[in-house]
Amino acid sequence: MASELYNTIDALSREKGIDPQIVVSAVEDAIVVATRKYYKTQENLRAQLDKDTGKIRAFAVRMVVETPEQVEDPLLQITLEDARKVDPSLEVGGELQIPKETEGILGRIAAQLAKQVIFQKVREAERDTVYNEYIGRVGEIVNVTVKRIEGPDVILDLGKAESRMPRKEQSRLESFAIGERVRVIIARVERASKGPAVVVSRAAPELVQHLFQTEVPEIYDGTVVIRAIAREAGERTKIAVMSKDKDVDAVGACVGMKGMRVQSIIRELRGEKIDIIEYHEDAVSFAEKALQPAKVSRVTVVDTADKHLEVVVDDSQLSLAIGKKGQNVRLAAKLLGWKIDIKSEEEKRQEVEQQMSALVNPTATPLESVPGIGEGLIEKLSAAGITTVEALADMTPEQLEAIEGIGPKTVEKISLAVNNYFSGLEGGEMGVAEGEVVPQAAEGEETLASGAAESAVPDQLSNNETVASANETGFGGDESVPLSDEADSEAASSEEK
């Protein structure tokens, strides 16, 4: 029959949910500590609880060695000869147990010390038990009771242990009263100096998933599958569902008749908005659904590797698609797992216009590319803010003469250089068609290129290349420029080619 002490240990073990042998070991360790304190010895002490009588006996343990030369510490080792005087059955390598008297000599201080050791060992065992029990239940939904509120944290009773719900794991819409029962998700289990901390959450997306599994039988039996959830607790949740049965409407099953199923979940979440979306494998179609309630004009895949989408919406739908503080597009991006850029029709139109303008406008050509313009002249033009050939070609002779250090002869030199540069780009293959009229430049808007052409034409009028260049740069004249028979035949031959 077990002693009264062992029965007490057994009851304590059941209450704390720990192994009775752990408590027995704690009691034995406590007796060892108290005995060592009383005898003030460094011997290797052990204690043993007798289950039947309830008595605890303490003894010193010494290792048996063969010769005296092998004895390094007399308190820990003993020769075989001396050991057999106490116990003839001992052999080398065995242990000799020397009893230590404990009854009547362990006073109040020793008993208090033993009590502290027992409590410490029990607490450590309890912590390990709680940690081992809940570490495998992370992500599970449990029913708990609000025990107390400590600042922003809510302390909840799990039954065998306490759990903590920090502020960031709470919904902003919720407040709790002591004694209230709530459903939470076990978020994580942390090892701490004060014991294992079980952290629970009401803000995790898994809570919404478990609530839908509870309320929607089609999700529970696997007919409807939840493919993705994006949530901002207390604000809005987007959930993507897909049906495995073509006869079952996934969204309708989750909403329920007259919205009864989803309204039950909304009440549990204290009024949090829930968007139920039909899942699509195609990212474009899925994005159009995920951005509801906004209406999407078109979706373009920018980069498949980086998962980047561009969404264009009507100007009136832009704010709705983005949502309050960007919430709608942020949740949609989480749901898809893609990066989403939203633009209005007007923004997209302006972007296209800028791209077209960049394609139409020629690239800037530096002045150094024009033969015949020296470094000194380039410096004067650059000082006046003219750094490209295109800008120089747009200047009138009057504007050039207004620049310090440039006179009429220099203007004529610049005109010839620019004209020859553009003529060289064309390659001399374009001619003026017979009967084509070269338009007259407006008065006061004569460009530098046209002036250059006018000065060059009198000496080279029979040259078809010079005439074509003059025509391109705005050579003035009220009548068409006649061509010789030979030039005319050459132009016709060029056109046929």
Side-chain angles (χ1 to χ4, degrees):
M1 183 176 179
S3 64
E4 183 178 353
L5 175 60
Y6 189 82
N7 291 334
T8 303
I9 292 174
D10 189 53
L12 177 63
S13 303
R14 286 197 301 269
E15 179 184 347
K16 298 295 184 180
I18 58 179
D19 187 1
Q21 187 57 42
I22 295 176
V23 182
V24 171
S25 299
V27 173
E28 292 174 349
D29 291 344
I31 295 300
V32 168
V33 171
T35 304
R36 177 172 284 110
K37 186 175 182 63
Y38 177 80
Y39 285 103
K40 295 181 176 59
T41 180
Q42 297 299 319
E43 293 178 292
N44 184 16
L45 299 179
R46 291 183 190 171
Q48 188 174 21
L49 172 66
D50 191 329
K51 180 179 177 181
D52 297 327
T53 63
K55 292 184 178 181
I56 304 174
R57 80 185 172 91
F59 46 86
V61 179
R62 295 182 184 177
M63 181 68 66
V64 178
V65 295
E66 188 172 359
T67 63
E69 290 77 13
Q70 295 176 332
V71 177
E72 297 177 358
D73 189 344
L75 296 177
L76 303 178
Q77 296 166 323
I78 189 173
T79 60
L80 178 62
E81 181 181 355
D82 293 339
R84 283 183 172 176
K85 293 178 181 178
V86 181
D87 186 354
S89 62
L90 287 175
E91 297 291 340
V92 174
E95 292 182 344
L96 174 65
Q97 297 181 352
I98 303 174
K100 294 286 185 180
E101 184 63 33
T102 57
E103 292 187 10
I105 62 174
L106 299 181
R108 181 180 61 85
I109 296 177
Q112 185 68 23
L113 181 61
K115 180 181 178 181
Q116 292 176 357
V117 173
I118 292 172
F119 283 167
Q120 181 181 356
K121 294 288 185 181
V122 170
R123 279 197 300 268
E124 290 176 357
E126 190 177 5
R127 291 171 187 172
D128 291 340
T129 301
V130 171
Y131 182 84
N132 294 332
E133 178 177 354
Y134 289 101
I135 191 63
R137 297 175 62 184
V138 173
E140 182 181 330
I141 188 169
V142 292
N143 292 319
V144 296
T145 304
V146 179
K147 193 170 184 179
R148 64 184 182 275
I149 298 174
E150 295 180 353
D153 297 350
V154 179
I155 306 302
L156 306 161
D157 186 7
L158 287 169
K160 294 181 179 179
E162 290 183 350
S163 61
R164 179 174 58 89
M165 183 163 59
R167 182 60 190 169
K168 66 178 182 179
E169 300 293 349
Q170 303 173 30
S171 169
R172 70 172 188 84
L173 300 176
E174 296 179 331
S175 59
F176 303 94
I178 296 176
E180 181 181 1
R181 289 189 63 80
V182 293
R183 282 187 280 190
V184 297
I185 292 289
I186 299 177
R188 58 186 181 276
V189 183
E190 302 171 344
R191 283 191 179 273
S193 58
K194 295 182 179 180
V198 181
V199 180
V200 296
S201 174
R202 289 271 299 174
E206 290 81 5
L207 177 64
V208 180
Q209 181 176 349
H210 282 290
L211 292 176
F212 269 97
Q213 288 176 349
T214 304
E215 295 292 336
V216 183
E218 289 84 354
I219 294 179
Y220 183 78
D221 62 20
T223 304
V224 176
V225 180
I226 298 174
R227 295 301 302 267
I229 297 179
R231 184 185 183 202
E232 290 188 3
E235 297 287 348
R236 184 182 291 273
T237 294
K238 287 182 181 287
I239 178 170
V241 294
M242 182 184 71
S243 176
K244 292 184 177 180
D245 189 343
K246 63 180 181 179
D247 296 328
V248 177
D249 179 16
V251 176
C254 294
V255 173
M257 185 177 295
K258 297 182 179 180
M260 292 179 61
R261 291 175 176 175
V262 71
Q263 285 299 325
S264 175
I265 297 173
I266 291 174
R267 284 194 299 270
E268 172 70 24
L269 299 176
R270 314 291 173 92
E272 184 176 315
K273 298 179 180 65
I274 298 178
D275 295 337
I276 303 173
I277 301 162
E278 185 177 359
Y279 178 80
H280 288 272
E281 292 289 347
D282 180 32
V284 173
S285 302
F286 193 15
E288 292 178 356
K289 297 287 186 181
L291 286 168
Q292 292 178 352
K295 295 181 180 179
V296 177
S297 299
R298 58 188 179 276
V299 180
T300 306
V301 178
V302 178
D303 192 338
T304 306
D306 292 339
K307 294 188 174 182
H308 188 187
L309 292 176
E310 182 183 77
V311 178
V312 179
V313 298
D314 192 72
D315 294 356
S316 61
Q317 296 287 312
L318 182 61
S319 60
L320 187 61
I322 295 174
K324 184 180 179 182
K325 297 180 181 180
Q327 183 186 81
N328 192 55
V329 67
R330 188 165 56 249
L331 287 175
K334 288 182 182 178
L335 199 68
L336 269 72
W338 286 61
K339 180 183 177 182
I340 299 177
D341 289 341
I342 293 188
K343 298 177 182 177
S344 65
E345 292 283 4
E346 179 64 22
E347 290 174 342
K348 187 62 178 176
R349 184 185 65 79
Q350 293 178 359
E351 181 181 325
V352 172
E353 287 180 353
Q354 291 175 357
Q355 292 175 352
M356 293 299 295
S357 177
L359 291 174
V360 172
N361 292 334
T363 56
T365 307
L367 293 176
E368 290 80 359
S369 303
V370 181
I373 299 181
E375 294 182 1
L377 188 54
I378 291 175
E379 292 179 1
K380 294 177 182 179
L381 293 172
S382 299
I386 304 169
T387 57
T388 63
V389 180
E390 292 75 18
L392 183 59
D394 290 337
M395 298 287 289
T396 64
E398 291 78 8
Q399 291 174 333
L400 283 174
E401 289 180 9
I403 300 174
E404 184 179 356
I406 296 180
K409 292 185 178 180
T410 307
V411 170
E412 185 176 351
K413 177 183 177 183
I414 294 173
S415 301
L416 286 172
V418 172
N419 182 67
N420 292 334
Y421 172 76
F422 283 113
S423 298
L425 291 179
E426 295 298 330
E429 295 184 1
M430 294 183 61
V432 179
E434 183 175 0
E436 181 178 353
V437 179
V438 181
Q440 174 70 38
E443 183 177 355
E445 295 182 359
E446 181 184 17
T447 63
L448 171 63
S450 65
E454 188 174 359
S455 63
V457 165
D459 296 331
Q460 304 174 7
L461 189 56
S462 62
N463 189 327
N464 188 37
E465 175 180 327
T466 307
V467 175
S469 177
N471 180 39
E472 292 170 4
T473 55
F475 173 68
D478 295 333
E479 299 179 356
S480 61
V481 179
L483 300 174
S484 64
D485 293 339
E486 183 181 354
D488 190 20
S489 63
E490 288 178 2
S493 175
S494 176
E495 287 178 359
E496 289 178 2
K497 290 180 181 181

